Amino acid sequence: MHDVVRDVAIWIGKVEKKCFTSKVGIGLAEWAVEECLEQYRGISLVGNEKVELPSGLVCPSLHILRLENTLDGNKLQVPEYFFKEMSALKVVTIIGGVLSVKSLQFLANNLRVLLLIRCDVSDASFLGKLKRLQILYLEKSPIEIPDGLGDELSRLKLLYIGSWSGSISPITINKFPQLEEFYGWIKNWEVEGMSSEESYARCAESDSQPDGSVVCLPNDFSFPKLQRYGIMEVGALYDTDRWTRCLDAFDRGTRCLIIENNHPKATLGIFSALYQNLEILYLSGVTGCHNIVPSIDERGLNELTILHVTDCKDLECIMDASKSPHGKSGNPVMLSRLVELYMRGLPELKWIWKAPGQHVIGLQSLTELKVSWCNNLTYIFTLSQARSLVQLKSLKVSYCERLECIVEAKFDHNEREISVGDGNTILALPSLRN
């Protein structure tokens, strides 16, 4: 919004006693004395002075409240009864504050949106009292999400648990009946019925978890079919790029899943409801998985645009059309929208794309490919695949000891010799820059 338009909107709101906005530098306590606030429906207060809020305000018509203290090293103390006379509040944003969730109990009948950013929060059990809450946003506000919260907040549609804000059990997420969007960290998990070796490995791994535990899920557990999400797992290696992907998922409404804690392939079935519309996937340390498609999702991950696969010791192929029920029929399937592919530390990888001789895999969307430390890989593309790379802009290959060529022009995936006539091996990569 243009700053002049914003100023006019604020001025109209103030004249009509609907909206009051303070300026940076004005103490947050001053307005409580100077302004008559009973008629206001929206109040935004931003200060950079060390002040205390009054113990309470009488604002019976207030629907929207934003409190922010920008002073480094000092946080705004929210009194226990501050909200007592603001029972009509629907949206509360607090940035740089200290509060008990118990102080929000007076808003239980109307509060729809709660955003806590850089806050010190206590008494999280009182979150369950906010029965009408639809959006809960926690950014850099450490809080322990109660396991029973899903049963209490039956109207919640969006849950955001930002970096360092805590984590939530997959079981709790599954209990929110109307949840449409989730962004944040889930607790590490295991699935009932795993082999003793797998269970032992997961239990040993639990020692490194922040809360010292691994959530045990029933073997028929499945995530709800969320519309939008960005999911990371507690205990995964924190990486700025990965967390940025999750933030982008929130900002752009995309769907991102990051799994990095040495899970057996069988445990990835808990995300089966998400794979069909998944757009960004990071996999690291998954065991017992010989291919991504169709082993993880036989429908082909056709919405996927970004795929990063690292340190999966059993992986032999990224996409194996010969084992897909769709691939055998020759239908156009599998990773058709893939834009970025990154592979590292895959010692058993032999093929990136494997398909029957009559099956052509189109890679027309691929723009970036990085391959490193894949020591069983002898070539990257077949000739037919390479011809579809009209959008490829960057190709980086390193530390692949057995690599013989980038494009294999002599044999197909079934090791049958290809008959090559004059001009049939001409290859152009019109977009390649790096």
Side-chain angles (χ1 to χ4, degrees):
M1 183 183 292
H2 192 283
D3 55 353
V4 174
V5 178
R6 180 179 181 274
D7 289 343
V8 172
I10 291 172
W11 175 76
I12 293 173
K14 187 172 183 179
V15 168
E16 296 182 357
K17 295 293 183 180
K18 291 183 179 179
C19 177
F20 175 79
T21 302
S22 74
K23 297 180 179 179
V24 173
I26 296 177
L28 294 181
E30 297 175 15
W31 55 268
V33 177
E34 297 175 0
E35 298 288 335
C36 181
L37 303 175
E38 285 84 352
Q39 302 303 315
Y40 284 117
R41 299 186 66 183
I43 294 176
S44 176
L45 304 166
V46 180
N48 59 5
E49 299 180 5
K50 187 175 182 179
V51 296
E52 292 184 2
L53 289 173
S55 59
L57 294 174
V58 180
C59 300
S61 301
L62 194 62
H63 286 181
I64 301 172
L65 176 64
R66 173 188 172 97
L67 302 175
E68 179 177 2
N69 191 358
T70 60
L71 184 64
D72 291 337
N74 181 67
K75 291 190 176 181
L76 194 64
Q77 300 285 336
V78 180
E80 183 176 354
Y81 295 96
F82 181 73
F83 300 103
K84 186 174 182 180
E85 302 297 332
M86 306 182 200
S87 58
L89 266 177
K90 294 182 178 180
V91 179
V92 172
T93 299
I94 302 176
I95 303 174
V98 178
L99 77 155
S100 164
V101 179
K102 186 178 180 180
S103 66
L104 300 170
Q105 62 182 316
F106 305 107
L107 313 178
N109 291 330
N110 288 304
L111 191 65
R112 304 292 198 275
V113 180
L114 177 61
L115 294 89
L116 303 177
I117 301 171
R118 301 196 316 272
C119 289
D120 295 336
V121 185
S122 59
D123 299 319
S125 60
F126 281 88
L127 283 172
K129 304 291 184 182
L130 307 176
K131 302 294 185 182
R132 293 180 178 270
L133 199 65
Q134 295 182 14
I135 295 175
L136 177 59
Y137 183 103
L138 304 169
E139 174 67 32
K140 298 180 182 177
S141 301
I143 187 171
E144 182 65 31
I145 303 296
D147 288 339
L149 193 63
D151 296 320
E152 298 175 305
L153 299 186
S154 60
R155 302 187 183 189
L156 197 70
K157 294 183 178 180
L158 186 151
L159 176 60
Y160 182 104
I161 305 177
S163 55
W164 314 300
S165 294
S167 62
I168 187 170
S169 166
I171 294 175
T172 302
I173 294 176
N174 212 30
K175 290 182 178 179
F176 292 108
Q178 296 190 41
L179 194 67
E180 298 174 359
E181 302 183 53
F182 171 73
Y183 308 91
W185 303 78
I186 61 172
K187 293 182 179 179
N188 203 349
W189 79 90
E190 65 177 9
V191 176
E192 290 178 353
M194 289 194 302
S195 68
S196 57
E197 293 83 1
E198 292 169 340
S199 296
Y200 177 81
R202 303 297 288 148
C203 289
E205 185 180 303
S206 70
D207 293 338
S208 64
Q209 300 304 310
D211 60 0
S213 64
V214 172
V215 178
C216 188
L217 305 177
N219 54 20
D220 61 347
F221 178 87
S222 179
F223 254 75
K225 191 174 182 179
L226 302 170
Q227 294 180 17
R228 290 166 293 278
Y229 50 87
I231 302 173
M232 282 189 72
E233 183 183 4
V234 168
L237 178 64
Y238 182 81
D239 182 279
T240 302
D241 177 64
R242 286 164 173 74
W243 181 243
T244 299
R245 296 287 191 191
C246 272
L247 294 181
D248 286 345
F250 176 75
D251 293 336
R252 302 177 185 178
T254 54
R255 296 172 285 273
C256 175
L257 179 61
I258 300 174
I259 305 170
E260 297 191 306
N261 272 346
N262 298 318
H263 287 280
K265 186 200 74 171
T267 68
L268 303 186
I270 71 169
F271 300 111
S272 59
L274 305 181
Y275 290 137
Q276 188 170 8
N277 295 315
L278 184 62
E279 294 172 287
I280 301 171
L281 176 61
Y282 284 73
L283 287 178
S284 181
V286 176
T287 59
C289 184
H290 298 292
N291 57 69
I292 304 298
V293 178
S295 289
I296 290 180
D297 182 46
E298 66 177 18
R299 293 166 294 189
L301 295 172
N302 277 326
E303 297 297 317
L304 203 67
T305 59
I306 297 173
L307 175 60
H308 284 215
V309 187
T310 61
D311 302 319
C312 296
K313 63 180 182 180
D314 301 316
L315 196 69
E316 297 178 355
C317 182
I318 297 296
M319 182 178 70
D320 191 349
S322 66
K323 293 185 178 180
S324 168
H326 301 293
K328 291 176 182 178
S329 65
N331 293 329
V333 293
M334 304 183 190
L335 302 173
S336 57
R337 298 187 181 182
L338 193 65
V339 173
E340 176 184 318
L341 176 60
Y342 175 65
M343 300 172 293
R344 178 180 57 80
L346 308 176
E348 297 300 320
L349 189 72
K350 299 177 182 177
W351 309 278
I352 299 177
W353 294 274
K354 183 180 180 182
Q358 76 278 8
H359 190 90
V360 177
I361 297 175
L363 306 173
Q364 63 275 3
S365 299
L366 194 69
T367 63
E368 183 175 348
L369 174 63
K370 296 181 182 179
V371 186
S372 61
W373 300 104
C374 297
N375 291 333
N376 251 338
L377 199 63
T378 57
Y379 64 91
I380 308 294
F381 308 105
T382 63
L383 184 59
S384 62
Q385 292 165 4
R387 283 174 173 158
S388 70
L389 297 170
V390 293
Q391 298 294 328
L392 189 67
K393 296 178 181 179
S394 177
L395 173 63
K396 299 184 180 181
V397 184
S398 59
Y399 301 105
C400 295
E401 294 178 354
R402 294 187 61 194
L403 195 73
E404 298 175 3
C405 55
I406 300 298
V407 178
E408 171 56 82
K410 295 182 179 179
F411 298 94
D412 64 17
H413 287 300
N414 297 319
E415 303 300 331
R416 294 179 301 195
E417 189 169 359
I418 297 173
S419 176
V420 180
D422 291 340
N424 283 349
T425 57
I426 294 176
L427 175 65
L429 297 174
S431 300
L432 194 66
R433 297 294 178 268
N434 299 313

